[in-house]
Amino acid sequence: MSNAIFYHAGCPVCLGAEQLVADAIDRSKYQIETVHLGEQADRIAEAEAAGVNSVPALVLNDQVFHINFGASIDDLK
Amino acid sequence: MSNAIFYHAGCPVCLGAEQLVADAIDRSKYQIETVHLGEQADRIAEAEAAGVNSVPALVLNDQVFHINFGASIDDLK
Protein backbone atom coordinates (compact mmCIF):
# COMPACT_ATOMS: atom_id res chain seq x y z
CA MET A 1 0.00 0.00 0.00
CA SER A 2 1.40 3.40 -1.01
CA ASN A 3 0.79 6.68 0.78
CA ALA A 4 -1.06 9.63 -0.70
CA ILE A 5 -1.22 12.87 1.31
CA PHE A 6 -3.54 15.62 0.12
CA TYR A 7 -2.63 19.07 1.51
CA HIS A 8 -5.23 21.80 1.27
CA ALA A 9 -6.46 24.98 2.94
CA GLY A 10 -10.22 24.73 2.59
CA CYS A 11 -10.36 27.06 -0.42
CA PRO A 12 -12.76 26.53 -3.36
CA VAL A 13 -9.92 25.38 -5.61
CA CYS A 14 -8.99 22.85 -2.93
CA LEU A 15 -12.53 21.46 -2.81
CA GLY A 16 -12.45 20.70 -6.51
CA ALA A 17 -9.10 18.99 -6.13
CA GLU A 18 -10.32 17.02 -3.16
CA GLN A 19 -13.05 15.68 -5.42
CA LEU A 20 -10.32 14.40 -7.74
CA VAL A 21 -8.55 12.67 -4.89
CA ALA A 22 -11.66 11.24 -3.30
CA ASP A 23 -13.21 9.99 -6.52
CA ALA A 24 -10.38 9.02 -8.78
CA ILE A 25 -7.48 7.67 -6.74
CA ASP A 26 -7.32 3.90 -6.62
CA ARG A 27 -7.85 3.09 -2.97
CA SER A 28 -6.74 -0.48 -3.42
CA LYS A 29 -3.25 0.95 -4.05
CA TYR A 30 -3.17 4.19 -2.05
CA GLN A 31 -3.94 5.01 1.56
CA ILE A 32 -5.16 8.62 1.51
CA GLU A 33 -4.59 11.18 4.26
CA THR A 34 -6.05 14.70 4.02
CA VAL A 35 -4.29 17.56 5.84
CA HIS A 36 -5.89 21.03 6.20
CA LEU A 37 -2.85 23.30 6.59
CA GLY A 38 -4.99 26.24 7.65
CA GLU A 39 -6.08 24.27 10.72
CA GLN A 40 -2.97 22.11 11.16
CA ALA A 41 -0.22 24.71 10.89
CA ASP A 42 2.14 22.37 12.75
CA ARG A 43 2.33 20.26 9.59
CA ILE A 44 3.42 23.07 7.25
CA ALA A 45 7.12 22.29 7.82
CA GLU A 46 6.51 18.66 6.84
CA ALA A 47 4.64 19.79 3.71
CA GLU A 48 7.45 22.14 2.72
CA ALA A 49 10.03 19.41 3.28
CA ALA A 50 8.05 17.24 0.87
CA GLY A 51 8.29 20.01 -1.75
CA VAL A 52 4.83 21.53 -1.42
CA ASN A 53 4.84 25.16 -2.65
CA SER A 54 1.11 25.77 -2.91
CA VAL A 55 -2.14 24.07 -2.05
CA PRO A 56 -3.96 22.05 -3.10
CA ALA A 57 -1.15 19.55 -3.56
CA LEU A 58 -1.06 15.80 -3.68
CA VAL A 59 2.03 13.89 -2.55
CA LEU A 60 2.19 10.40 -4.01
CA ASN A 61 5.17 8.30 -2.97
CA ASP A 62 7.18 11.44 -2.14
CA GLN A 63 6.43 13.05 -5.51
CA VAL A 64 4.53 16.36 -5.33
CA PHE A 65 1.74 17.27 -7.72
CA HIS A 66 0.46 20.82 -7.45
CA ILE A 67 -3.13 20.92 -8.66
CA ASN A 68 -4.33 24.17 -10.21
CA PHE A 69 -3.26 27.08 -8.02
CA GLY A 70 -5.11 27.88 -4.85
CA ALA A 71 -2.96 29.47 -2.19
CA SER A 72 0.77 29.96 -1.73
CA ILE A 73 2.06 28.04 1.26
CA ASP A 74 3.66 31.29 2.48
CA ASP A 75 0.18 32.76 2.94
CA LEU A 76 -0.70 30.01 5.41
CA LYS A 77 2.11 30.75 7.89
CA MET B 1 -17.57 4.19 -16.57
CA SER B 2 -16.44 7.83 -16.48
CA ASN B 3 -14.06 9.47 -18.93
CA ALA B 4 -10.64 10.84 -18.01
CA ILE B 5 -8.66 12.69 -20.69
CA PHE B 6 -5.04 13.54 -19.97
CA TYR B 7 -3.68 16.36 -22.19
CA HIS B 8 0.08 16.80 -22.35
CA ALA B 9 2.89 17.99 -24.60
CA GLY B 10 5.66 15.51 -23.91
CA CYS B 11 7.49 17.84 -21.50
CA PRO B 12 9.26 16.60 -18.34
CA VAL B 13 6.52 18.05 -16.12
CA CYS B 14 3.99 16.15 -18.23
CA LEU B 15 5.83 12.87 -17.76
CA GLY B 16 5.61 13.17 -13.99
CA ALA B 17 1.93 13.94 -14.22
CA GLU B 18 1.37 11.04 -16.57
CA GLN B 19 2.82 8.83 -13.86
CA LEU B 20 0.11 10.13 -11.53
CA VAL B 21 -2.60 9.30 -14.03
CA ALA B 22 -1.25 5.93 -14.98
CA ASP B 23 -0.55 4.76 -11.46
CA ALA B 24 -3.16 6.35 -9.27
CA ILE B 25 -6.42 6.70 -11.16
CA ASP B 26 -8.92 3.98 -10.44
CA ARG B 27 -9.33 2.21 -13.76
CA SER B 28 -12.40 0.38 -12.60
CA LYS B 29 -14.13 3.79 -12.59
CA TYR B 30 -12.33 5.77 -15.29
CA GLN B 31 -11.51 5.07 -18.90
CA ILE B 32 -8.30 7.01 -19.59
CA GLU B 33 -7.36 8.63 -22.88
CA THR B 34 -4.00 10.37 -23.35
CA VAL B 35 -3.69 13.20 -25.91
CA HIS B 36 -0.31 14.68 -26.93
CA LEU B 37 -1.26 18.20 -28.06
CA GLY B 38 2.15 18.79 -29.60
CA GLU B 39 1.50 15.94 -32.03
CA GLN B 40 -2.30 16.19 -32.22
CA ALA B 41 -2.75 19.93 -32.77
CA ASP B 42 -6.21 19.26 -34.23
CA ARG B 43 -7.42 18.51 -30.71
CA ILE B 44 -6.31 21.84 -29.16
CA ALA B 45 -9.71 23.46 -29.83
CA GLU B 46 -11.43 20.61 -28.00
CA ALA B 47 -9.03 20.97 -25.07
CA GLU B 48 -9.62 24.72 -24.88
CA ALA B 49 -13.38 24.20 -25.01
CA ALA B 50 -13.02 21.88 -22.01
CA GLY B 51 -11.24 24.70 -20.12
CA VAL B 52 -7.63 23.55 -20.51
CA ASN B 53 -5.25 26.55 -20.14
CA SER B 54 -1.97 24.69 -19.74
CA VAL B 55 -0.62 21.18 -19.91
CA PRO B 56 -0.40 18.78 -18.27
CA ALA B 57 -4.08 18.80 -17.49
CA LEU B 58 -6.51 16.10 -16.52
CA VAL B 59 -10.19 16.39 -17.44
CA LEU B 60 -12.39 14.22 -15.24
CA ASN B 61 -16.10 14.30 -16.02
CA ASP B 62 -15.75 17.71 -17.68
CA GLN B 63 -13.86 19.21 -14.72
CA VAL B 64 -10.33 20.42 -15.51
CA PHE B 65 -7.38 19.86 -13.18
CA HIS B 66 -4.18 21.63 -14.15
CA ILE B 67 -1.26 19.72 -12.69
CA ASN B 68 1.86 21.72 -11.86
CA PHE B 69 2.68 24.05 -14.72
CA GLY B 70 4.33 22.74 -17.84
CA ALA B 71 3.44 24.70 -20.96
CA SER B 72 0.83 27.30 -21.80
CA ILE B 73 -1.63 26.02 -24.37
CA ASP B 74 -0.92 29.17 -26.41
CA ASP B 75 2.65 27.97 -26.92
CA LEU B 76 1.39 24.82 -28.63
CA LYS B 77 -0.53 26.56 -31.42
Side-chain angles (χ1 to χ4, degrees):
Chain A
M1 187 72 90
S2 301
N3 284 316
I5 306 180
F6 177 66
Y7 293 102
H8 73 110
C11 58
V13 175
C14 296
L15 295 181
E18 192 167 25
Q19 203 83 26
L20 164 76
V21 173
D23 288 354
I25 299 286
D26 188 341
R27 285 160 187 273
S28 69
K29 290 188 197 164
Y30 289 90
Q31 185 165 22
I32 300 174
E33 182 187 11
T34 299
V35 177
H36 188 319
L37 289 178
E39 294 172 352
Q40 296 173 265
D42 56 318
R43 297 194 60 178
I44 291 179
E46 161 207 305
E48 283 189 312
V52 173
N53 297 316
S54 64
V55 289
L58 181 63
V59 180
L60 290 179
N61 293 332
D62 301 326
Q63 194 177 359
V64 182
F65 297 95
H66 297 99
I67 303 169
N68 295 333
F69 191 86
S72 168
I73 201 163
D74 287 327
D75 294 335
L76 301 176
K77 290 179 185 172
Chain B
M1 187 73 89
S2 301
N3 284 316
I5 307 181
F6 177 67
Y7 293 102
H8 72 110
C11 59
V13 175
C14 295
L15 294 180
E18 192 166 25
Q19 203 85 24
L20 165 76
V21 173
D23 288 355
I25 300 287
D26 188 341
R27 285 161 186 272
S28 69
K29 291 187 197 162
Y30 288 91
Q31 184 165 22
I32 301 173
E33 182 186 12
T34 299
V35 177
H36 188 319
L37 289 178
E39 294 173 352
Q40 296 173 263
D42 56 317
R43 296 195 61 177
I44 290 179
E46 160 207 306
E48 282 190 313
V52 173
N53 297 316
S54 64
V55 289
L58 181 64
V59 179
L60 290 179
N61 293 332
D62 301 325
Q63 193 176 2
V64 182
F65 297 96
H66 298 100
I67 303 169
N68 295 334
F69 191 84
S72 169
I73 201 162
D74 287 326
D75 294 335
L76 301 176
K77 290 178 185 174

